[in-house]
Amino acid sequence: MAIFSVYVVNKAGGLIYQFDNYVPRAEAEKTFSYPLDLVLKIHDEKVVVSFGQRDGIRGMSSVATSSGVFRILLFAIGSQLSPEVGSSGIEMLETDMFKLHCFQTLTGIKFIVLADPRQSGIDALLRKIYEIYSDFALKNPFYSLEMPIRCELFDQNLKGALEIAEKAGNFGPGS
Amino acid sequence: MSRQSNRTTDSKKMNSELFTLTYGALVTQLCKDYENDEEVNKQLDKMGYNIGVRLIEDFLARSSVGRCQDFRETADVIAKVAFKMYLGITPSVTNWSPAGDEFSLILESNPLVDFVELPDNHSTLVYSNLLCGVLRGALEMVQMAVDVKFAQDSLRGDNVTEIRMKFIKRIEENLPAGDE
């Protein structure tokens, strides 16, 4: 499975949806909390995480899912680290083991996908997930905004979209 | 199995008469329940607001419109993209205030009011007030506080239907990171 996880974060920074596709084959497992002692460097125009060889960990194979970590990680660090003024946060974080993609809507909802670095078509996937959210979560009148998403149809369609992304790598028009 | 959402217009077309009837049933039931035009107007605005806060995401997901630079651009997007997408009409944008913070949308036709005539005892009812709520709710979700009301209403004897939109302020508290 080349797409490891999908997360949806609401305006306030709370995690409202989480889907994990990846079972970590952990040789060594370490829990990180903020502040993360990562070594970050700016490479071309991307922020690249390079870990030292610490405790036998050469790369990250699973990510803590606390919403606080995500919010701080993605937006505070990203905005401060960026060499550009007025940065809106991390759009993509690349390491040896995974690529983290983030898409932020104009309304403040954030869609985050963790995938294999070789997986392509994640931008299209993020837009597709936005469509699925606007359909199956928002058009369900019993779903309250900003609350955790517990909609069966949303789950099903999301999994379907992930399967398509993994196989084809892109979405044709009208799908 | 998961439903394949088909976004081509043919398969999603609903009979517009059913839409008109549904909206009419909604308004008449509200009139029966509240017996007071002002209260019905308020309820329609509230319902519109709840629709607007959800509709904006659908609009942004499907239209791939970016953030508008100013209120004029917002007005154009509302008239030419949003109204076209959801109601199939393109109102014209006119009557800009000198400060550029107020404008009017002139609707030649309004699918909500096909076949509708207002009786005398409901002369203060703003039949399409749902639209005001929708616009208010949608813009609030993209950090704009606006005031929306009907300045002219063809159901109440005016020649055209005119929606007046006034920009109040940018909503600062929950701006996505990086926007200033």
Side-chain angles (χ1 to χ4, degrees), chain A residues 11 75 86-88 104-109 130-131 133-141 143 145 156-157, chain B residues 1-7 53-54 56-58 60-62 65-67 141-143 174 176-178 180:
Chain A
K11 269 190 290 213
F75 297 104
S87 155
S88 59
Q104 181 172 266
T105 69
L106 295 183
T107 52
I109 307 282
Y130 189 24
E131 272 184 37
Y133 169 74
S134 80
D135 282 342
F136 299 101
L138 292 187
K139 296 201 181 82
N140 180 347
Y143 167 69
L145 259 55
Q156 285 175 11
N157 280 272
Chain B
M1 272 312 295
S2 58
R3 203 173 85 203
Q4 286 299 312
S5 165
N6 207 333
R7 301 313 302 182
V53 300
R54 292 165 183 260
I56 182 72
E57 306 272 17
D58 182 82
L60 291 173
R62 294 194 199 295
V65 163
R67 191 172 284 286
M141 293 294 275
V142 284
Q143 298 90 40
N174 286 321
E180 75 246 14

Side-chain angles (χ1 to χ4, degrees), chain A residues 87-157:
Chain A
S87 155
S88 59
I90 291 184
E91 272 183 14
M92 205 225 327
L93 195 81
E94 181 170 357
T95 74
D96 289 338
M97 303 292 284
F98 70 87
K99 232 178 190 178
L100 180 148
H101 300 253
C102 179
F103 171 57
Q104 181 172 266
T105 69
L106 295 183
T107 52
I109 307 282
K110 299 161 261 288
F111 297 94
I112 298 158
V113 170
L114 242 68
D116 190 293
R118 297 155 300 184
Q119 177 72 38
S120 66
I122 299 293
D123 279 344
L125 174 64
L126 282 167
R127 307 259 175 307
K128 183 73 184 165
I129 295 176
Y130 189 24
E131 272 184 37
I132 294 174
Y133 169 74
S134 80
D135 282 342
F136 299 101
L138 292 187
K139 296 201 181 82
N140 180 347
F142 299 107
Y143 167 69
S144 319
L145 259 55
E146 309 290 285
M147 292 287 112
I149 302 174
R150 301 200 199 293
C151 308
E152 182 70 40
L153 287 172
F154 179 76
D155 289 335
Q156 285 175 11
N157 280 272

Side-chain angles (χ1 to χ4, degrees), chain A:
Chain A
M1 288 286 183
I3 293 174
F4 304 141
S5 311
V6 177
Y7 303 100
V8 183
V9 177
N10 67 11
K11 269 190 290 213
L15 188 69
I16 58 174
Y17 185 78
Q18 172 187 342
F19 173 70
D20 290 310
N21 215 2
Y22 180 69
V23 178
R25 296 168 291 113
E27 293 140 32
E29 206 171 85
K30 188 162 170 73
T31 306
F32 290 94
S33 58
Y34 186 72
L36 295 157
D37 19 278
L38 295 172
V39 175
L40 297 166
K41 63 178 198 256
I42 313 285
H43 179 70
D44 293 323
E45 280 156 13
K46 293 187 299 201
V47 177
V48 173
V49 180
S50 66
F51 273 53
Q53 294 245 7
R54 267 191 74 203
D55 305 335
I57 293 177
R58 293 194 297 275
M60 288 166 74
S61 61
S62 69
V63 181
T65 58
S66 151
S67 65
V69 174
F70 263 111
R71 179 160 195 225
I72 293 166
L73 172 67
L74 292 172
F75 297 104
I77 295 181
S79 305
Q80 289 182 26
L81 273 177
S82 173
E84 307 261 329
V85 173
S87 155
S88 59
I90 291 184
E91 272 183 14
M92 205 225 327
L93 195 81
E94 181 170 357
T95 74
D96 289 338
M97 303 292 284
F98 70 87
K99 232 178 190 178
L100 180 148
H101 300 253
C102 179
F103 171 57
Q104 181 172 266
T105 69
L106 295 183
T107 52
I109 307 282
K110 299 161 261 288
F111 297 94
I112 298 158
V113 170
L114 242 68
D116 190 293
R118 297 155 300 184
Q119 177 72 38
S120 66
I122 299 293
D123 279 344
L125 174 64
L126 282 167
R127 307 259 175 307
K128 183 73 184 165
I129 295 176
Y130 189 24
E131 272 184 37
I132 294 174
Y133 169 74
S134 80
D135 282 342
F136 299 101
L138 292 187
K139 296 201 181 82
N140 180 347
F142 299 107
Y143 167 69
S144 319
L145 259 55
E146 309 290 285
M147 292 287 112
I149 302 174
R150 301 200 199 293
C151 308
E152 182 70 40
L153 287 172
F154 179 76
D155 289 335
Q156 285 175 11
N157 280 272
L158 184 69
K159 287 181 187 130
L162 292 181
E163 273 164 35
I164 296 175
E166 284 172 354
K167 289 195 189 102
N170 56 16
F171 290 92
S175 65

Side-chain angles (χ1 to χ4, degrees), chain B residues 73-145:
Chain B
E73 205 181 325
T74 307
D76 280 339
V77 169
I78 292 173
K80 296 184 181 128
V81 191
F83 265 86
K84 185 104 181 81
M85 198 188 269
Y86 292 110
L87 290 175
I89 56 175
T90 310
S92 45
V93 178
T94 57
N95 287 356
W96 278 98
S97 67
D101 64 348
E102 251 188 276
F103 68 92
S104 292
L105 288 165
I106 309 285
L107 281 70
E108 303 290 323
S109 69
N110 181 354
L112 292 175
V113 308
D114 287 343
F115 317 120
V116 176
E117 279 178 31
L118 272 189
D120 297 328
N121 58 331
H122 286 297
S123 53
T124 52
L125 179 68
V126 185
Y127 188 84
S128 309
N129 212 29
L130 193 93
L131 289 181
C132 296
V134 174
L135 288 165
R136 186 169 64 86
L139 287 175
E140 190 175 301
M141 293 294 275
V142 284
Q143 298 90 40
M144 275 185 266

